[in-house]
Structures are given as structure tokens and as C-alpha cells.
Amino acid sequence: ASPDDDPDVVADLCRMVDGLPLGVELIAARVGVSSAEDMLASLRADPRSVLTGEDTAHRSLNVVFDSTLALMDQSARILFARLAVCPATFDLAVVRVLGGPSARVDLERLVDASLVVPLDHESGERRFRLSDPTRTYADSLLDDEQRDDAIRRHAEHFRELLVRAGREMVGERDRAWIQRLERDDANVRAALDWWIDHEPARALAFASGLGRATRFGTRDVELCALFDRMLDAAFADDRVDPNPLDVAHVRLSRGWPRFLTGDFEGGMDDMRGAARGFDEYDDAVGTAEAHSALGHMILLATADTDAASASYVRAIESSRRAHAVLTTAMALAEYAQSLILADRVDADVEEMLDEAE
């Protein structure tokens, strides 16, 4: 690097090739012609540019990768190629999905060969990644059929994960799930995009987990657009009718983002629609959540305590029927809060608060 080059840019260039000596050497040779800033922009736009240099004085990284993989078992080579479909960091569960029975052993070999980079996350979970040039090389090993198979495996894994998250994100487990989904945000989005493009009706199953993980977050406009896209794609596909229960979960998840972006009527309409869908399938917990949210929205948007109370009562009745203790406690507390704000404190309010506690 020249004295005029920004040290932070030079550091970013080295990170782009994971500090591999040959990668750094190839970049250094080209920085003599282009500035470090131009080289970094070029590498970010096309990571393979460092792999295909025409400078005959240097072997390309492809030669290093080829010779390293030649020492690997076939199963390790297959796993390495399939890992190219991960857009960001990944965990052992993804490795097992993309690999075969020997996936963990193969991963250790790839790590030892510096083809996969291990990361120690603050949560204690071990995660891994491929550098951009390495991912580009790994992807070049896949033909179209192999790439499609790996992408589908990846998409199916994260769909199952989001379905499980939607089912388990209650109480004390909320935080752990939210953190887990945040770590895999890029993987989740890539998987969701695949389902929307290929089987949009099944993409709706992402909604419950996404909605719980992002409720009252800071990306309400983005979420509204995402849920709109999911529903539009599902209803536009004439091959399979969307499952009404999945649609109810999407509307439940979309209601708050719509409301918080100022579309009060749209948010309340989503909650009413979600409640009807859950009622149809006798999903008492879903009905309770929709009516509880609707009561809160009515109170915030109109200050109509009587209308809000009717929704809270429905929520409490449904959650009790489902023996959903936490949902019941939350509905009781919110109902009591609405009555307190309306200056309607009486013995019933104290009784509700005692039961909620």
C-alpha cells in the first residue's frame, strides 16, 4: 500500500481474503495499478476478481484451492461446495443439513485447511463462515442441479426453524429465540426469498416466527412490505390455495407494523381478520393473541374503553379455554390497565391483577 492509502481500506482488503498470504500478495500487486479504494470496490462488486487475475507472475487462488481440495475426501469437497449457498455465517445445524453423515468431521477438515473460518460468538455458539473469494470458488464447483438441491436444503431448514420459533417463542424463551434469529437474519431472508419465488403458499409459515421476533422493532415499514409480498405471492399462485391458518398468522404478524406506521384501520383490520381465521380453526391461543392486540389498538387509536374491553374479554375467554397461562395473564393485565386508564377501578380490576400476577 502507498502512504496515501487509507489504513482502514487496506485492512478491509486483507479481511476480504481472510488474510490468506497469497490473496494479500495478489491484491498488493494490483494496488500498484489501482488505488486501494478502487480495489476494494472492485472486490466487493465481484469477489471472483481476485481469483482470476491475468498476472502470470502469480498463481491465482484457484490453484491453491484446487490443490487443497485434492487432499480432501469426496464428502468434504461436496460439503465445501454446498456451503456456498449460505449468504452469511452459519452454525453446525446448517452444516449437518448440507452435508452427509460425516458432516462434522468434514467441517473440521475444512477448518483445518483454512477453507472455512470458525467464529466464537458471544452467545457461546460456534459459528462459521466462508470469505467472499472462497464462497465464489466453492460456488463454481456446483452445477445447476447441485446448486438448486443445496439451496432447497438450506431453505427447508430455515423454514422448519421459523415454524419452530413461532411455536416456542413464549415467556423466557423469547430472548434466546430472538437472538438466534438475529444471528441468522441473512440466512432466514435468503430462505424466505426462495420459498416466495418457488412455493409462496408455504412461505407463509415464516410469519409466526418472524412476527414474534420482530414485534415492536424498528423495521416496521420493511416488515409491512415483506408481509405484503408474502401474501401477494401466495394468492397470485394458482397451484396451491394458501392455508387460512397461515394467512391468519401473517395478518397477526403484520397488524402491529401496520398500526405503528400510522395505518390504524389497516392494523385493526388485520387483527380482526386474524381472529376470524383462528376462530375457524379453533386455535384458541391465536384467537386470544389477536383479540388482545385488537383491544390494545382500539384503546390507543380511539380511547373507546368499552370496545377495547369487549376484545380483552374475548382474549381472556379464549386463552383460558386453551389453558394458556401466560397469554391469559397478559390479557388480564392489559384489560385491567385499560380500565385503570379510564378511571374505572373497582374490585374486579384488583381481582384481575391478582390473577394475572
Side-chain angles (χ1 to χ4, degrees):
S2 73
D4 296 330
D5 287 324
D6 185 338
D8 291 336
V9 173
V10 174
D12 285 341
L13 278 170
C14 294
R15 278 192 288 270
M16 287 287 286
V17 293
D18 278 343
L20 292 171
L22 182 55
V24 174
E25 185 182 353
L26 288 170
I27 288 173
R30 299 188 197 181
V31 168
V33 177
S34 303
S35 69
E37 287 82 358
D38 289 343
M39 187 64 198
L40 181 60
S42 174
L43 193 56
R44 283 175 171 165
D46 182 12
R48 79 189 70 198
S49 62
V50 76
L51 301 177
T52 56
E54 297 179 358
D55 189 345
T56 56
H58 298 278
R59 294 179 302 162
S60 75
L61 283 175
N62 276 340
V63 176
V64 178
F65 290 143
D66 287 342
S67 60
T68 302
L69 281 178
L71 303 175
M72 300 279 176
D73 293 337
Q74 183 180 10
S75 59
R77 294 196 294 269
I78 291 173
L79 173 61
F80 173 65
R82 288 175 175 171
L83 289 174
V85 305
C86 298
T89 67
F90 50 88
D91 60 14
L92 280 171
V94 175
V95 173
R96 294 190 184 99
V97 166
L98 294 175
S102 60
R104 183 154 192 164
V105 174
D106 292 335
L107 176 66
E108 291 174 358
R109 290 171 178 162
L110 294 172
V111 169
D112 289 342
S114 298
L115 293 173
V116 173
V117 182
L119 305 169
D120 290 324
H121 194 271
E122 60 186 13
S123 67
E125 177 193 37
R126 199 172 186 209
R127 297 183 69 83
F128 307 87
R129 72 176 178 89
L130 272 62
S131 67
D132 289 339
T134 306
R135 183 183 297 108
T136 300
Y137 172 80
D139 182 71
S140 72
L141 303 177
L142 298 169
D143 61 31
D144 290 343
E145 183 177 349
Q146 292 168 335
R147 185 179 296 103
D148 289 344
D149 176 68
I151 291 174
R152 185 180 184 97
R153 289 177 184 231
H154 178 273
E156 287 177 340
H157 170 72
F158 282 100
R159 182 181 182 277
E160 292 173 3
L161 185 71
L162 265 293
V163 169
R164 183 179 159 203
R167 186 171 58 245
E168 295 185 1
M169 287 180 70
V170 291
E172 295 179 355
R173 305 193 69 173
D174 270 8
R175 176 173 298 225
W177 267 113
I178 289 172
Q179 291 173 342
R180 180 172 183 178
L181 295 181
E182 284 178 345
R183 292 194 293 272
D184 272 314
D185 183 70
N187 287 304
V188 170
R189 297 309 170 114
L192 178 56
D193 284 343
W194 186 91
W195 284 107
I196 291 175
D197 290 341
H198 293 80
E199 298 183 37
R202 297 190 69 192
L204 301 183
F206 279 71
S208 180
L210 279 177
R212 293 181 188 278
T214 54
R215 197 164 294 171
F216 306 114
T218 59
R219 301 186 295 178
D220 296 318
V221 173
E222 177 189 346
L223 286 171
C224 284
L226 176 61
F227 291 131
D228 288 346
R229 181 181 165 219
M230 291 167 68
L231 286 175
D232 289 346
F235 282 107
D237 184 3
D238 56 8
R239 294 171 299 177
V240 180
D241 291 331
N243 183 328
L245 191 57
D246 286 339
V247 174
H249 275 294
V250 176
R251 300 196 72 177
L252 178 70
S253 299
R254 186 178 64 174
W256 271 118
R258 289 183 76 177
F259 189 88
L260 294 174
T261 54
D263 185 3
F264 299 153
E265 285 300 325
M268 290 188 285
D269 183 62
D270 265 342
M271 289 306 171
R272 293 187 184 99
R276 288 193 297 271
F278 290 129
D279 273 341
E280 181 182 345
Y281 276 78
D282 197 29
D283 185 330
V285 173
T287 298
E289 291 182 342
H291 275 294
S292 183
L294 178 59
H296 219 47
M297 289 178 177
I298 291 172
L299 200 62
L300 291 170
T302 69
D304 186 341
T305 306
D306 291 334
S309 295
S311 286
Y312 286 132
V313 169
R314 285 290 308 277
I316 294 167
E317 291 173 349
S318 296
S319 58
R320 280 176 172 161
R321 179 161 55 88
H323 305 290
V325 177
L326 182 60
T327 306
T328 303
M330 291 298 296
L332 283 165
E334 290 171 350
Y335 185 19
Q337 181 186 47
S338 71
L339 294 174
I340 292 171
L341 290 173
D343 199 22
R344 292 168 56 180
V345 180
D346 55 24
D348 289 341
V349 171
E350 294 181 4
E351 186 178 329
M352 280 192 284
L353 288 173
D354 288 341
E355 183 181 351
E357 185 178 1

